[in-house]
Amino acid sequence: MASEKTEKKKKTKKTEGDSSSGSGKTKKRAQRATSNVFSMFDQRQVQEFKEAFTLIDQDRDGFISKEDLAGMFDSLGRQAKDAELEEMISEAPGPLNFTMFLQLFGERFSGKTLVVKASSPW
């Protein structure tokens, strides 16, 4: 009988400790860059960034990849080195969608990026 009470307590604590909405599953959301990113720029600037993003996103999947960057450089007549492309992509903490693209430029313009190499391709 004592072991039945112990088992019930364990089950109760496990249920109480579950922070999900009752489904037994927890979902992780992708971390958002910031909900405030669009307020860093005026509407005209956001539109210009969107046009630039669209030009760079050559496969039109909504994300800038290393291949997209290589294609953009090729269209400009410049052969980019793989290390340069990797460096550019690695500046984003996650997939480089339009919101993250704006976030990266917002940080640059606001001075939050502490060290920017003069030879940086961005």
Side-chain angles (χ1 to χ4, degrees):
M1 183 116 181
S3 65
E4 287 179 13
K5 286 184 180 180
T6 305
E7 285 297 316
K8 279 187 177 181
K9 282 185 180 181
K10 285 181 184 178
K11 286 182 182 178
T12 304
K13 284 185 180 181
K14 195 174 192 180
T15 304
E16 289 173 356
D18 185 7
S19 62
S20 66
S21 59
S23 65
K25 296 179 183 176
T26 56
K27 293 183 180 179
K28 286 189 177 183
R29 288 185 168 187
Q31 183 179 5
R32 293 184 180 179
T34 178
S35 60
N36 203 6
V37 69
F38 288 93
S39 66
M40 294 176 162
F41 304 102
D42 64 38
Q43 188 174 10
R44 181 187 54 79
Q45 290 172 313
V46 171
Q47 183 59 36
E48 288 176 4
F49 279 119
K50 184 65 176 173
E51 289 173 22
F53 182 87
T54 302
L55 289 171
I56 298 168
D57 181 21
Q58 302 214 340
D59 61 7
R60 304 290 186 252
D61 66 351
F63 297 92
I64 295 176
S65 65
K66 189 169 74 169
E67 292 77 21
D68 290 329
L69 288 174
M72 183 212 41
F73 276 110
D74 287 345
S75 71
L76 295 173
R78 181 171 179 261
Q79 199 68 17
K81 295 179 183 173
D82 199 49
E84 288 178 306
L85 300 173
E86 285 291 336
E87 183 181 344
M88 285 188 267
I89 291 295
S90 70
E91 287 187 36
L96 190 51
N97 61 13
F98 181 63
T99 304
M100 184 59 64
F101 184 75
L102 275 182
Q103 179 70 30
L104 290 172
F105 277 96
E107 289 173 359
R108 292 266 174 146
F109 291 145
S110 69
K112 290 182 183 176
T113 302
L114 299 177
V115 178
V116 178
K117 293 189 273 182
S119 63
S120 176
W122 290 100

